[in-house]
Every structure is written in C-alpha cells, then in structure tokens.
Amino acid sequence: MGVWLVLLFALLTCTNLSKSDPSDEACLTHLSQSLKDPANLLQNWTRSNFASPCSGFTSYLPGATCNNGRIYKLSLTSLSLQGSLSPYLANCTNLQSLDLSSNQITGPIPADLQSLVNLAVLNLSSNRLEGEIPPQLAMCAYLNVIDLHDNFLSGQIPQQLGLLVRLSAFDVSNNKLSGPIPASLGNRSGNLPRFNATSFEGNKDLYGYPLPPMKAKGLSVLAIVGIGLGSGFASLVLSFTGVCIWLKVTEQKMALEEGKISSLMPDY
C-alpha cells in the first residue's frame, strides 16, 4: 500500500511539473509575435511548445530556463532579433532574469514590466530602444542589475530607480538621456553600491555627479568679458574721436565768424 502511495505522489508531482502555466503561455506567445527572427534561430518557438514549455527543470525552448515548471529565465542575446518588446512579458510572473541584449529591438520599454516582481536582472542593452525609462521599474524591488546602455532612450532618469536598494549594477551610457542625474543613483550613501561616471557617460545633455562638469556651450565667460571690454574701449575711442572732431569743427566755425565780424567793422 505504501509503495502505491509513493508512486501516486510521484505521478502527481510529475504531472504538476509538466503542466503548462497559462500566464507563461500568453507571455511567450505574444513575445514571439512581437519579435522578428530573420536568422531563424528560434525554430522551436512554436505554439505547441508555448503550451508546455517546461517539464520540471527542463525547457523545450532555446534561450529559456525552467524552474519547477515555470519560465524563470529568458536569455535571447545576439540573435539579430527585430521588432518590439511585448507588454505581455509581464505575464511571465516567475521571471527572474530577462536578457535580450545585443539585438535590433526597437520601440519603448513597456511599463508593464513592473509586474515582474521577482525580476533580478534586466539587460536590454545594445538595441534600438526609444522613449523614456519607465519609473514603474522601481516596483521590481529585487532588481540587482539594470543594463540599458547603447540604445536611443531619451528623457530623464527616473528618481524612483534610486529606491532599488538591491541595485548593484546600473548602466544607461550612450543613450539620449537629459537632465540631472538623481542623487539617489549618482551619489548613493551608506552601504549602497555606487556607480561611477561610466554608467552615465555618452548622454549629451545629462549632467550631475559623478559626471565631470559640463563645458560651457559657445563662448567662455572670459571671452565674453573680453569682448565686452574690447567693445567698451572701442566705443570710448570712437566717442573721444568724435568729440575732438566736433571741437575742431566748432573752432573753425568760430574763427570764420570772427573774420566776418572784423571785416564788417569800420576802420578808425
């Protein structure tokens, strides 16, 4: 009897481990639809495998890693993938690592990623992503790594990201970001890991510590002062010259007037 119970328990366990999670299925299906695979490197990414992507710790999808029948890691790097990021990525609620770096993915970073409450690693670097960094990423409290370098992201760095106390690696270099670097990221206090200038460089209009002071655009202050002094001196010379000419002309007119008066007076 005991042996049968053990076998029944093992059977039920295996069945549960291989059972598909509908959230993971929606996540993978929509991600596949939003991405283009011109090199045809994701041949096994089919609907049938989306319905049952895992068997315990075994994954049937290239780039996907399973844990207890759920997708907990997606690593699709350097595959020349195109297209955009699906908001349905948020359905992979067990996801702990998302690495889609070194592809040609365009469009914005979905704010829906805030639902990935277990996410520890987010690497979307070396793509063509546009738009602003969603402040909602601060809802992913377990984030250790945010790597967004070499994209076309714009706007300011959200201050909320400084609330991620577990954040140990942060890189937004070589984008189109602007405005001040939040002190909660650029000048962290206490035992929180600190990020140096390489995490922020390559953003033309981004400023603040730890970046070096911005160079003055156009003419320097000294040049402006010099031009001002030079202009003042030139004006003074011109004014002085004008006064001298006026005095000379006035003197000549007075001399002519005196000569006229003298010629009209009778001789005695």
Side-chain angles (χ1 to χ4, degrees):
M1 184 68 178
V3 175
W4 286 108
L5 288 176
V6 171
L7 291 174
L8 180 61
F9 177 78
L11 179 62
L12 291 174
T13 302
C14 292
T15 302
N16 289 332
L17 288 176
S18 61
K19 186 179 179 180
S20 169
D21 185 279
S23 296
D24 283 356
E25 182 178 358
C27 166
L28 297 170
T29 300
H30 286 87
L31 179 61
S32 177
Q33 292 173 350
S34 67
L35 294 178
K36 298 178 181 179
D37 178 25
N40 200 26
L41 298 175
L42 300 178
Q43 297 183 19
N44 289 349
W45 280 58
T46 60
R47 282 187 173 274
S48 58
N49 283 332
F50 297 156
S52 184
C54 300
S55 178
F57 295 92
T58 302
S59 169
Y60 300 118
L61 299 175
T65 306
C66 298
N67 183 16
N68 288 330
R70 294 291 308 276
I71 298 290
Y72 92 102
K73 183 178 181 181
L74 282 176
S75 181
L76 304 174
T77 66
S78 305
L79 298 178
S80 300
L81 297 177
Q82 301 173 4
S84 60
L85 297 176
S86 170
Y88 280 86
L89 272 169
N91 282 43
C92 286
T93 53
N94 204 48
L95 201 62
Q96 297 181 26
S97 177
L98 177 60
D99 188 350
L100 301 176
S101 60
S102 300
N103 286 293
Q104 301 173 35
I105 302 173
T106 58
I109 300 174
D112 306 74
L113 296 185
Q114 65 178 313
S115 298
L116 300 177
V117 294
N118 295 308
L119 194 65
V121 176
L122 177 64
N123 188 350
L124 304 175
S125 62
S126 299
N127 278 287
R128 298 177 180 177
L129 297 171
E130 301 173 333
E132 299 185 352
I133 301 173
Q136 292 89 342
L137 290 179
M139 299 297 292
C140 304
Y142 289 100
L143 270 173
N144 293 311
V145 176
I146 296 179
D147 193 350
L148 305 174
H149 76 264
D150 286 284
N151 278 288
F152 299 103
L153 298 170
S154 58
Q156 297 189 5
I157 300 175
Q159 295 187 6
Q160 293 90 330
L161 298 185
L163 300 175
L164 296 169
V165 295
R166 297 173 182 263
L167 197 62
S168 59
F170 183 77
D171 193 348
V172 292
S173 60
N174 300 317
N175 278 281
K176 296 183 178 181
L177 299 170
S178 60
I181 297 174
S184 55
L185 286 171
N187 192 18
R188 308 182 95 191
S189 59
N191 296 323
L192 296 177
R194 301 189 180 189
F195 313 119
N196 55 32
T198 58
S199 295
F200 305 97
E201 63 188 8
N203 293 281
K204 182 180 178 182
D205 297 318
L206 191 65
Y207 60 89
Y209 187 84
L211 289 176
M214 293 183 69
K215 294 181 180 179
K217 295 182 179 179
L219 298 173
S220 65
V221 175
L222 290 177
I224 295 173
V225 172
I227 291 173
L229 291 175
S231 301
F233 180 74
S235 299
L236 182 62
V237 170
L238 290 174
S239 299
F240 181 74
T241 303
V243 171
C244 291
I245 294 173
W246 180 80
L247 289 174
K248 187 68 176 179
V249 171
T250 302
E251 183 180 357
Q252 290 176 351
K253 286 183 178 180
M254 291 179 65
L256 289 173
E257 293 295 331
E258 289 179 356
K260 291 179 180 180
I261 294 173
S262 299
S263 64
L264 295 175
M265 293 182 67
D267 295 331
Y268 295 97

